[in-house]
Amino acid sequence: MSKQQTTENTRDVFAVYTQCFDKIQGNVERANPQFLQSITNLQQEYLAACGNFVHNVIASQQNYVNKIGINTSAPEATTKVVYGITDEIIKGFDVQSKMVHTALDATKQHIKAINENATSFAALNQNIINSWISMWNQKN
């Protein structure tokens, strides 16, 4: 058995777990930006396709109506309602966006708190273990 094989066979299990976890975490951290960029690109493509579809439908209908001579003027009350609905939809999206940002910020703060608590808990556990070990060593 070579020295390297002996070293690998006697490796601390916690070192193996740590190394493997760090390898997985590094891979996820490298892949995550590409994943998020792919989702963003897909969303932009979808929104562009929706916009293109709506504009084409409107242009087609406008062309048809103009050729057959239908009057397309709308009463002021109708245009007011349509503009009002549009403004309300935009306000709704703004509120939704603010709510999502607030929720994400709160989630981020909770994750930070969990991380700090986990660190404190680990330190507390270490202190308890050290106390038990020192008591054990005093009796022996």
Side-chain angles (χ1 to χ4, degrees):
M1 191 180 298
S2 75
K3 184 177 181 179
Q4 183 179 8
Q5 287 174 331
T6 304
T7 304
E8 288 178 6
N9 289 340
T10 59
R11 205 172 209 181
D12 178 18
V13 69
F14 296 107
V16 171
Y17 289 156
T18 300
Q19 182 182 18
C20 290
F21 175 79
D22 290 346
K23 190 174 183 179
I24 291 168
Q25 184 179 19
N27 190 347
V28 170
E29 287 173 352
R30 277 191 306 280
N32 200 35
Q34 295 168 347
F35 174 74
L36 293 175
Q37 186 61 52
S38 294
I39 290 173
T40 299
N41 291 347
L42 177 62
Q43 184 181 31
Q44 289 174 341
E45 189 68 31
Y46 173 77
L47 290 173
C50 286
N52 186 47
F53 175 78
V54 168
H55 287 122
N56 284 333
V57 167
I58 291 171
S60 176
Q61 289 177 350
Q62 183 180 22
N63 186 29
Y64 177 72
V65 167
N66 287 341
K67 285 186 178 184
I68 60 174
I70 295 176
N71 180 10
T72 60
S73 61
E76 175 136 356
T78 302
T79 57
K80 247 181 151 176
V81 168
V82 171
Y83 284 127
I85 290 171
T86 300
D87 290 342
E88 292 303 314
I89 290 171
I90 291 169
K91 286 178 188 175
F93 280 123
D94 287 343
V95 168
Q96 178 187 20
S97 178
K98 289 175 184 172
M99 288 172 53
V100 168
H101 284 285
T102 300
L104 291 174
D105 287 343
T107 302
K108 183 178 177 180
Q109 292 304 316
H110 288 123
I111 290 171
K112 284 181 179 181
I114 289 168
N115 188 34
E116 290 169 2
N117 289 338
T119 301
S120 297
F121 186 70
L124 177 64
N125 281 342
Q126 186 63 44
N127 290 338
I128 291 170
I129 290 170
N130 289 340
S131 175
W132 288 348
I133 290 173
S134 68
M135 285 177 29
W136 177 264
N137 286 339
Q138 290 174 359
K139 291 182 179 181
N140 291 332

